[in-house]
Amino acid sequence: MFNLDYSWLADPVYQGWLIRGTLTTIELAFASSAISFVIGLFGALALTLRIAWLDAFIELFVEVFRNTPPLLQMLFFYFTLSTIGLRVTDPATGVSVPLLSAFACALISLSLFGGALCIEAFRSGLDSLPRAVTEAARSLGYSRWQRFRRIEAPIASRICLPALTNIMTNQFKTTSQASVITVPELMYYAGQIYNDTFRTAEVMILVLFIYVSLVSLLSWGMVRIERALAFPGYGRAH
Amino acid sequence: MKTTILTIASSLLLALGLSAAHADTLADVKSKGTLTIGVKNDYPPYGLLNDKGEIVGFEVDLGKYIAKELLGPDGKVELVPVVASNRIEFLNSGRIDIILATLGVTPERAKVIDFSEYYVSAPGPSILAPKSATFSKWEEMKGLTLCGIQGSYFNKHLTEAYGINLTNFKTQPEAYRALKDNRCVGFAFDDMTLRKKTEEADWAGYKIAIDPYEYIPQAAGIRKDDTAFREAVNKAILKAEAEGKLIEWETTYGMPHAKYIAERAEAAKAKLKP
C-alpha cells in the first residue's frame, strides 16, 4: 500500500520549482502579515479617536474584507481592476498592460483581509485595557499620541499577540489560494509536478510536510516573542 | 489489377495460416459479424456524444468504415466507450477488438500492443498571439511571458527547453481573459483548440504565431502479433485514405484540414493505383 516513489525529486527542474515555490509562499505570507499588522494598528488607533465618519469607514472596511473570501478578492483585483481601466502603457513595447501583477494582487488582497482581522484583534486588545491605566497616563500629562505609543499600544499588542499568531498562521495557509491567479507559490508548482509525474500522493505528502514545518516554525517563533515580551506578572494568573 | 488481387489473396492466406498459432481476431470478427471498437465519447472531434446521445466522431466513422471493409456491407459495429487508463486493458482482455480512441504511438505502449498505420498526426502546443506579434519561432520566446494552463503535459518542456516564462491558469476562460488583458504575449496550448478559437469573431485580431514543435502520431491499437487482423485493418485505413474519406470526416467534425492527412491521402492514392 505504501509504495511511495520519490525518484522525481532528483529532477533539477522540480527541485528548482519546489524551492522557488516555497520562497514565494514565505515572501507573500510575511509581506502580507507585516502590512496587515500596520493596517490593524492604525485602524484600531483611529477607532479610539471616536470620529463618527472614520468609525463608519473602518467598520465598512472590516465588514467588506473580513466577510468576503480572499479567493474572490484576488480574482477581483486580478481580472476586474485591469478590465475597468487600472492599466499602464509599457514604455518598452507601447502595449497597454495591467498595472497590478499577480503577486501584487495577491499581496493586496491578503493584506486587506488580514488587516481587517487585525483591526478587530487590536481593538479587542485596546478595549481590554484597564481604564485606570489610561487615566493614570492622562493625569501624568501624556498627549493622545504619546499615550497611544507609550502606554496603550505596548500593552494592547501584548494582550492580542495570541490572536495575531492565529491570523498569521491563517495568512500563511491562505497564500495557497494565490495559485489561482498564477502566483507561482508552493501549491502552483506542486500541481504541475503531480500532473507531470502522476505521483499525486507523494507530492501532496511532501507539500504537507513543507507547510507543517513552516507554520510550526512560525508559531514557535511567535510563542517565543510572546514570552519575551510578557510583563512579569501581568495578565497571568498563576 | 490481377496481381494486386493475387497478392492480397495470397497474403491473406498466408496470414490466416500464420495467425492460427496466435490470436486470430479477423476470423473471430468474421464469425460473429460484428467489430467491437473501443472509442472515446468525451473527446471531440475524435469521439463525442451527439444531441441524440449517439457516439459519433472522426475515429467512430473510421471504425465503421473498417468494419464495412472487413465484414462487407452487412457488417455491424459495437461501440464501447473507453478512457485512456483502461483502453489497453480492454483490448488485451478481449473486451474490444480494436482501439480507435486518440491513441498516441509511444514506445512504452508498443511493448504491450501493436499499432496500425498512423492515420492522424496530433499536434502538440502552438502559440496564440495578437496579429501584431513579431515572433515566429519557439527559440525566440526565451524570457517572454506566455499564458498557459496548469498541469499541461508540455509546460515543463516549454520552461526547460525554450526558457519560456509561463503564467498558468486553472481554466481556459481565465487564460483567454489574461491574453486579452495583455498579461502575457501569447497563449501556449493545444493547437487544435487554439486554431478553432481564431475562427471566432472576438478573436479576429489574433493568429497562431508559432506552430507546434512536435506532432504525435495517432493509430489504432491491435493485440500483439495479430498479424492478419492488423494487415486487414491497415488495408482498410489505406483505402479510406485513398478515397479521401479522412479529409471528408475532418470537414464533418469541423477539424482544420491537416497537411499530414492530405499527404497520406495522396500517398495512398498513388499506392493503390494499379
Side-chain angles (χ1 to χ4, degrees), chain A residues 161 165 216-230 236:
Chain A
L161 256 178
T165 308
S216 304
L217 203 66
L218 172 78
S219 44
W220 177 78
M222 290 298 281
V223 168
R224 292 297 297 256
I225 292 175
E226 246 172 77
R227 288 216 185 115
L229 291 180
R236 273 169 190 271

Side-chain angles (χ1 to χ4, degrees), chain B residues 1-21:
Chain B
M1 194 67 194
K2 234 179 205 167
T3 46
T4 328
I5 292 170
L6 266 176
T7 328
I8 293 166
S10 57
S11 66
L12 262 178
L13 280 174
L14 189 69
L16 281 172
L18 272 176
S19 56

Side-chain angles (χ1 to χ4, degrees), chain B residues 74-233:
Chain B
D74 296 331
K76 287 198 274 294
V77 294
E78 186 195 346
L79 300 174
V80 178
V82 295
V83 293
S85 53
N86 69 13
R87 56 192 169 186
I88 289 175
E89 188 52 38
F90 268 35
L91 178 71
N92 280 337
S93 66
R95 176 75 189 82
I96 54 178
D97 297 319
I98 184 170
I99 303 173
L100 286 167
T102 63
L103 183 70
V105 177
T106 66
E108 290 80 34
R109 288 178 187 150
K111 285 178 196 156
V112 284
I113 55 169
D114 281 343
F115 292 106
S116 72
E117 294 275 336
Y118 305 165
Y119 52 83
V120 160
S121 177
S126 60
I127 296 179
L128 177 71
K131 282 207 167 128
S132 57
T134 49
F135 43 78
S136 60
K137 285 194 205 75
W138 289 95
E139 288 72 24
E140 293 171 52
M141 303 311 289
K142 196 173 163 61
L144 293 180
T145 301
L146 285 180
C147 287
I149 297 294
Q150 292 176 19
S152 301
Y153 76 91
F154 43 76
N155 285 350
K156 186 179 178 223
H157 184 73
L158 296 188
T159 322
E160 216 176 0
Y162 301 111
I164 290 169
N165 189 6
L166 278 175
T167 291
N168 294 325
F169 293 85
K170 292 256 184 229
T171 65
Q172 290 181 45
E174 290 162 353
Y176 286 124
R177 177 74 253 157
L179 177 58
K180 286 221 157 163
D181 276 351
N182 294 324
R183 284 200 182 268
C184 44
V185 297
F187 178 18
F189 195 54
D190 176 51
D191 181 61
M192 178 114 46
T193 313
L194 293 183
R195 255 171 231 279
K196 290 202 109 169
K197 203 74 190 169
T198 57
E199 291 163 15
E200 291 176 17
D202 276 2
W203 292 88
Y206 289 78
K207 64 176 179 185
I208 300 293
I210 303 181
D211 286 323
Y213 56 81
E214 67 170 356
Y215 286 82
I216 300 157
Q218 207 165 297
I222 288 157
R223 276 184 284 272
K224 268 240 162 281
D225 302 322
D226 200 350
T227 321
F229 184 61
R230 187 159 59 92
E231 278 174 8
V233 169

Side-chain angles (χ1 to χ4, degrees), chain A residues 11 13-14 17 78-79 82-83 87 95-98 100 179-180 182 188 192 195-196, chain B residues 149-153 155-156 159-160 166-170 174 177-178 180-183:
Chain A
D11 190 324
V13 175
Y14 295 149
W17 284 359
Y78 190 73
F79 286 110
S82 63
T83 310
R87 308 173 69 85
V95 177
S96 162
V97 295
L100 297 174
S179 64
V180 170
T182 75
Y188 175 92
Q192 184 64 47
N195 263 292
D196 284 356
Chain B
I149 297 294
Q150 292 176 19
S152 301
Y153 76 91
N155 285 350
K156 186 179 178 223
T159 322
E160 216 176 0
L166 278 175
T167 291
N168 294 325
F169 293 85
K170 292 256 184 229
E174 290 162 353
R177 177 74 253 157
K180 286 221 157 163
D181 276 351
N182 294 324
R183 284 200 182 268

